[in-house]
Amino acid sequence: MGEIAALLTAACWAVSSIFFTSTSREVGAVTVNRVRLIFTAGFVLIAHLLLTGRPLPLDAEPFRWLWLGLSGVVGLILGDSFLFESYRLIGNRLGTLLMASVPVVSSLEAWVFLKEDLSFAAIAGIALCVGGISLVVLERNAGHGNAAPEKLQYLRGVLFGLGGVIGQASGLVLAKIGLVGNFPSISGVAIRMVTAMVIIWAAALVMGQAGPTLHRVLARPRTARNILGGSLVGPFIGVWLSQIAVQQTYVGIASTLMALTPIIMLPIARWYYKEAVSPRAILGTAVALAGAAVIFL
């Protein structure tokens, strides 16, 4: 169940990227991040109400609120913010390539903090997945990146990218701690999303950016609809599935399978965006899928 949920998570994030790519260009990544958390928190509260009879798990133990809340802040606010800034400074090619190391970092963190021991076969599968993803990402973005950045800009971009890697990997590990004991995954998502939404909008209010953020989106109804659709598929369904994944299997295995999003994007690029897919990209896909098969078996 954990491995299947991780693969479905990768598919959800691939689909949601179609929505969020265009909207980020129209109103900015920070605006999209704030508004999508409102939509997603709404979806989660409704789902939690329908499934449990209450909008929030207010009776959850304090330690769950602590760890899941921290997971939301570290993964959904800090990790994503660092990642978006990395994209801006050094382009999608290098930024996405850095994110392919999330499984490695999450596996190391889970090994240190959660005492999760991976078998040799699982480690080999993770290595194959990361290698295949790297091949695809390098080829997928070849010739489409930004102009070569200055040395200081490049260094800042790499550091922000590494911050995004650590943020997303740490968010998974923190969520694993908060979900211990078969705690309902939808309740974990509710705590993460509501905490992240409250904090990011509190910061926007303090900085005087709450009003301008809402105005930019409400003035573009199509953009608002795209953010709504992306929020449903990605941050709601995708994150819910990711919580099931880290709860039901090792963090390293779950994060590796969830990192297959660039692979899933290949057919989307071929048939939706009408882009050519090279033999190198196909080779990377085969390597990554072989790694996924090793993990399953």
Side-chain angles (χ1 to χ4, degrees), residues 133-149:
I133 291 169
S134 300
L135 279 173
V136 172
V137 170
L138 282 170
E139 177 66 23
R140 170 71 178 81
N141 293 280
H144 298 283
N146 298 332

Side-chain angles (χ1 to χ4, degrees), residues 37-38 41 77 192-205:
L37 282 175
I38 291 180
I77 297 179
R192 290 188 75 208
M193 286 297 176
V194 169
T195 302
M197 187 268 291
V198 169
I199 290 178
I200 199 171
W201 278 98
L205 285 171

Side-chain angles (χ1 to χ4, degrees), residues 146-259:
N146 298 332
E150 299 176 356
K151 288 184 178 180
L152 180 58
Q153 178 179 333
Y154 178 84
L155 177 60
R156 290 179 60 215
V158 170
L159 290 176
F160 274 115
L162 292 176
V165 169
I166 295 172
Q168 293 201 7
S170 301
L172 289 173
V173 174
L174 291 169
K176 178 85 171 186
I177 298 174
L179 291 169
V180 68
N182 292 321
F183 186 67
S185 56
I186 185 60
S187 296
V189 175
I191 293 173
R192 290 188 75 208
M193 286 297 176
V194 169
T195 302
M197 187 268 291
V198 169
I199 290 178
I200 199 171
W201 278 98
L205 285 171
V206 170
M207 294 185 293
Q209 297 178 0
T213 295
L214 293 173
H215 176 73
R216 278 194 296 271
V217 174
L218 294 177
R220 300 172 173 84
R222 185 176 64 85
T223 298
R225 289 194 298 270
N226 284 337
I227 297 177
L228 179 65
S231 300
L232 174 63
V233 177
F236 174 47
I237 299 176
V239 171
W240 187 357
L241 288 168
S242 75
Q243 302 304 282
I244 296 174
V246 298
Q247 189 176 37
Q248 299 295 329
T249 188
Y250 288 119
V251 172
I253 291 176
S255 60
T256 299
L257 295 174
M258 287 187 283

Side-chain angles (χ1 to χ4, degrees), residues 277-293:
V277 178
S278 69
R280 176 172 174 170
I282 296 174
L283 174 62
T285 301
V287 172
L289 292 178

Side-chain angles (χ1 to χ4, degrees), residues 1-267:
M1 179 62 70
E3 287 84 352
I4 293 173
L7 286 175
L8 292 175
T9 299
C12 286
W13 287 344
V15 174
S16 68
S17 70
I18 298 175
F19 291 99
F20 289 141
T21 296
S22 59
T23 53
S24 294
R25 291 170 180 167
E26 293 169 0
V27 297
V30 174
T31 296
V32 171
N33 199 23
R34 290 172 181 157
V35 176
R36 72 170 182 168
L37 282 175
I38 291 180
F39 287 141
T40 306
F43 288 138
V44 171
L45 292 177
I46 293 172
H48 198 275
L49 177 64
L50 294 175
L51 292 173
T52 67
R54 51 195 173 165
L56 273 175
L58 297 177
D59 59 342
E61 299 95 319
F63 84 90
R64 296 193 191 277
W65 279 91
L66 172 64
W67 292 112
L68 291 168
L70 283 174
S71 173
V73 172
V74 172
L76 298 173
I77 297 179
L78 296 179
D80 287 347
S81 297
F82 286 144
L83 176 60
F84 294 151
E85 184 65 10
S86 175
Y87 286 163
R88 187 183 73 81
L89 291 170
I90 59 177
N92 288 342
R93 181 182 67 83
L94 291 176
T96 308
L97 179 59
L98 288 171
M99 295 310 295
S101 62
V102 168
V104 178
V105 176
S106 63
S107 296
L108 291 175
E109 289 186 359
W111 175 62
V112 173
F113 298 109
L114 304 181
K115 308 303 180 184
E116 289 189 354
D117 292 326
L118 298 176
S119 66
F120 176 79
I123 294 173
I126 289 173
L128 283 172
C129 272
V130 173
I133 291 169
S134 300
L135 279 173
V136 172
V137 170
L138 282 170
E139 177 66 23
R140 170 71 178 81
N141 293 280
H144 298 283
N146 298 332
E150 299 176 356
K151 288 184 178 180
L152 180 58
Q153 178 179 333
Y154 178 84
L155 177 60
R156 290 179 60 215
V158 170
L159 290 176
F160 274 115
L162 292 176
V165 169
I166 295 172
Q168 293 201 7
S170 301
L172 289 173
V173 174
L174 291 169
K176 178 85 171 186
I177 298 174
L179 291 169
V180 68
N182 292 321
F183 186 67
S185 56
I186 185 60
S187 296
V189 175
I191 293 173
R192 290 188 75 208
M193 286 297 176
V194 169
T195 302
M197 187 268 291
V198 169
I199 290 178
I200 199 171
W201 278 98
L205 285 171
V206 170
M207 294 185 293
Q209 297 178 0
T213 295
L214 293 173
H215 176 73
R216 278 194 296 271
V217 174
L218 294 177
R220 300 172 173 84
R222 185 176 64 85
T223 298
R225 289 194 298 270
N226 284 337
I227 297 177
L228 179 65
S231 300
L232 174 63
V233 177
F236 174 47
I237 299 176
V239 171
W240 187 357
L241 288 168
S242 75
Q243 302 304 282
I244 296 174
V246 298
Q247 189 176 37
Q248 299 295 329
T249 188
Y250 288 119
V251 172
I253 291 176
S255 60
T256 299
L257 295 174
M258 287 187 283
L260 288 171
T261 298
I263 306 299
I264 298 173
M265 282 298 297
L266 278 179

